[in-house]
Amino acid sequence: MEGVVFVLIVGIVVHCGAVPTTSPSPEELTKAQDYLSQFFTGAGVNAPGRVLRISLDSFEERLRKMQEFFGLEATGQLDSQTLEVMGRPRCGFADVTRYGHFDSQPKWDKPLITYRITEYTPDLSQSDVDATIAKALKLYSDVIPLDFEQIDSGTADIMIMFKGLAHGDFSPFDAEGGVLAHAFSPAEGLGGDTHFDEDESWTLTSAGSNLFLVAAHEFGHALGLAHSQVQTALMFPTYQYVNTEGYKLQDDDREGIQALYGVRTEPTEPESRPQPPPDRCSRTVVFDAATSVGKNIYFFKDGYFWTHSRSWDGINMRSIQVAWPGISSIDAAYEHKRTNTVTFFKGNNYWKLRGNTFLPGYPRPLSDLGFPLYVTKVDAAVHVSFTGRTLLFVNSKYWGYDERSGTMDDGYPKFIHRDLPGIGNQVDAAFESKGYLHFSHGSEMKVYDYMRRRTIRTQSNYKFMDCK
């Protein structure tokens, strides 16, 4: 049924005890009838707030279906265990067996789906919301030939907002508790739109409502998935927290979404596997990135990095994925000694680390730093310790970032060749060492006096690799 909205409902979980011998109360019978009318009508999915009355003749039959669905003894009798299941947190539309699709199997008929977040929750930073929504959508783009792009203006395929109570779609939320979110199946207009109840407490942990898990479930509906009977599936009707670290779609969810869209044959990250170890002593070696880390300097190249230590002779090489799982290669990096952090850039995202551990809330989009949306990659970065500014290089221009205020400096971007004469038009890698900045482009390294704006000397990159 195209254009239908689906709601995620959370209720009070009653601990299951012995099955009473007394008959259910009138209130319990009413609750059960409403539940079966909404979720086991046998006539497709009902719109939120619309409860269809069923006759007493069909009550027992539908109760058996409900009990069978949840693995209960199909007695057709309204016992305490059945009432307990009816009270569990769940999503508010009809249930099916294994993965399911909607009537007429609506789906998106284009490879790129846009989404826009029009109203954010104050419970989390905008960058955390952006990153979490992108992470939830990536669950699907990893396994089907669909890509998702966030836009910041105009009408997107999937419009996303956090709003309480009535919010313009004839399906008002119900304050804290109850309905957490709802989404529309693929279609024009409201199709795919996903709304989150702002009266909930949105988190990235096991407390409150975990945004990643709720969003991933709702985006399943927005892409065309209905509910599954497999209890471990993301699309199972009841909501429960699971560890989100490294979370992937379960087999049932993956089979369901691939039945609609097919299997993604090309990797979402072409550089996910490191190339054969590069030759550090090549006279033409080009660095992807470089940064100081304590007393060491790290040079990044093709999925690997070399550690140049001042305290011992020799170069150590490791795989980036082994050292920092989740990142296959690095575009740029810089150290901020005052906060004892290192920042990695890859594509449109960046990460902060302390030691070898990623700080919570990352990755974040480049726009969180103040970059305009057309910037999708940082070429090089270096923190200038005596100014407190970080220089961020993109193509032929660079930005100045104030670490204390967390904002870009006014007057940027500036052209590299005009403001930093002598280093050329582009920078591949940069780092600070012994009071000088080092700018690498191609196979050459410029040792630069930043205060005087002049190059001290030029040398080959391989000279840093302890090569004869």
Side-chain angles (χ1 to χ4, degrees):
M1 181 180 296
E2 300 187 8
V4 171
V5 63
F6 305 103
V7 297
L8 187 63
I9 298 178
V10 57
I12 300 174
V13 178
V14 181
H15 292 287
C16 191
V19 177
T21 57
T22 58
S23 300
S25 68
E27 291 78 12
E28 290 172 333
L29 283 171
T30 299
K31 173 185 175 181
Q33 187 178 47
D34 290 347
Y35 186 96
L36 297 175
S37 295
Q38 185 171 4
F39 303 120
F40 290 88
T41 64
V45 180
N46 299 323
R50 181 187 176 199
V51 178
L52 303 177
R53 286 296 173 191
I54 59 178
S55 68
L56 292 177
D57 293 338
S58 62
F59 180 87
E60 187 174 329
E61 178 185 350
R62 295 186 186 187
L63 187 58
R64 284 197 182 95
K65 289 182 179 179
M66 177 265 178
Q67 291 168 329
E68 288 175 356
F69 181 89
F70 286 101
L72 305 174
E73 184 179 358
T75 63
Q77 301 300 309
L78 189 58
D79 53 36
S80 63
Q81 190 174 21
T82 302
L83 285 168
E84 184 271 331
V85 172
M86 289 180 173
R88 289 177 183 173
R90 62 156 297 142
C91 191
F93 60 95
D95 296 323
V96 296
T97 303
R98 293 184 68 244
Y99 66 78
H101 305 131
F102 306 132
D103 293 347
S104 77
Q105 296 193 359
K107 65 176 184 177
W108 300 101
D109 59 359
K110 51 187 175 181
L112 179 64
I113 307 301
T114 58
Y115 67 96
R116 179 187 173 192
I117 306 173
T118 58
E119 296 187 57
Y120 286 81
T121 174
D123 298 342
L124 300 166
S125 69
Q126 291 193 14
S127 59
D128 279 347
V129 173
D130 286 341
T132 303
I133 294 299
K135 179 182 175 182
L137 289 168
K138 190 174 183 297
L139 287 175
Y140 298 97
S141 62
D142 278 346
V143 299
I144 60 174
L146 280 187
D147 292 304
F148 300 95
E149 178 184 358
Q150 183 176 5
I151 62 175
D152 64 351
S153 62
T155 301
D157 298 311
I158 300 175
M159 299 290 281
I160 301 167
M161 69 175 176
F162 292 78
K163 195 80 171 179
L165 301 177
H167 52 280
D169 65 357
F170 305 104
S171 298
F173 288 127
D174 54 3
E176 186 177 3
V179 176
L180 297 181
H182 57 228
F184 291 81
S185 58
E188 295 296 326
L190 283 174
D193 290 358
T194 304
H195 305 154
F196 299 89
D197 187 353
E198 181 45 53
D199 288 320
E200 308 300 335
S201 176
W202 294 104
T203 74
L204 302 179
T205 67
S206 59
S209 301
N210 184 278
L211 178 58
F212 170 72
L213 293 174
V214 176
H217 179 102
E218 295 301 330
F219 290 146
H221 298 323
L223 295 176
L225 282 182
H227 275 159
S228 169
Q229 193 180 8
V230 178
Q231 295 191 18
T232 57
L234 177 65
M235 301 311 296
F236 189 70
T238 58
Y239 168 83
Q240 60 181 346
Y241 176 79
V242 295
N243 187 354
T244 62
E245 186 67 30
Y247 185 88
K248 300 292 184 183
L249 287 183
Q250 302 301 301
D251 289 346
D252 191 67
D253 305 308
R254 176 178 49 78
E255 291 170 6
I257 201 67
Q258 288 178 340
L260 279 176
Y261 294 97
V263 179
R264 187 167 200 123
T265 56
E266 79 279 8
T268 56
E269 296 183 6
E271 298 175 315
S272 59
R273 294 183 179 179
Q275 299 297 316
D279 179 7
R280 76 174 196 270
C281 290
S282 169
R283 298 300 178 99
T284 59
V285 64
V286 178
F287 298 136
D288 294 336
T291 184
S292 59
V293 180
K295 295 182 179 181
N296 302 325
I297 301 174
Y298 290 1
F299 296 94
F300 300 89
K301 175 68 175 176
D302 292 344
Y304 293 87
F305 69 99
W306 295 291
T307 303
H308 183 283
S309 175
R310 301 173 187 171
S311 61
W312 61 283
D313 294 331
I315 296 291
N316 179 40
M317 185 179 70
R318 293 184 67 192
S319 163
I320 293 173
Q321 280 190 329
V322 171
W324 302 288
I327 300 182
S328 58
S329 61
I330 293 173
D331 297 330
Y334 74 89
E335 179 186 30
H336 188 222
K337 293 184 183 296
R338 188 176 66 83
T339 57
N340 192 29
T341 60
V342 175
T343 301
F344 287 162
F345 295 87
K346 172 60 179 174
N348 196 38
N349 295 309
Y350 71 100
W351 293 254
K352 281 190 181 296
L353 302 89
R354 185 170 285 117
N356 281 326
T357 304
F358 291 116
L359 297 182
Y362 291 89
R364 297 182 178 177
L366 295 181
S367 58
D368 188 49
L369 293 172
F371 278 114
L373 290 179
Y374 66 79
V375 174
T376 58
K377 178 179 179 293
V378 174
D379 295 329
V382 60
H383 181 69
V384 185
S385 57
F386 59 86
T387 67
R389 298 299 195 269
T390 299
L391 311 183
L392 301 164
F393 297 85
V394 179
N395 298 322
S396 62
K397 299 179 182 179
Y398 80 103
W399 276 258
Y401 181 76
D402 186 339
E403 294 286 344
R404 290 187 177 180
S405 66
T407 59
M408 293 291 190
D409 289 332
D410 293 335
Y412 287 86
K414 296 180 179 180
F415 284 99
I416 297 172
H417 76 278
R418 291 179 183 172
D419 203 55
L420 300 172
I423 67 171
N425 296 313
Q426 213 163 358
V427 178
D428 297 329
F431 61 94
E432 184 181 36
S433 179
K434 299 180 180 178
Y436 294 107
L437 300 184
H438 293 65
F439 296 117
S440 173
H441 179 57
S443 60
E444 289 189 342
M445 181 82 69
K446 306 282 187 181
V447 181
Y448 199 76
D449 186 327
Y450 182 70
M451 292 294 290
R452 297 180 181 180
R453 293 294 202 274
R454 65 186 182 92
T455 297
I456 302 301
R457 63 180 178 273
T458 301
Q459 60 192 72
S460 297
N461 286 340
Y462 81 92
K463 293 287 187 179
F464 285 88
M465 299 288 102
D466 289 345
C467 298
K468 302 300 182 180

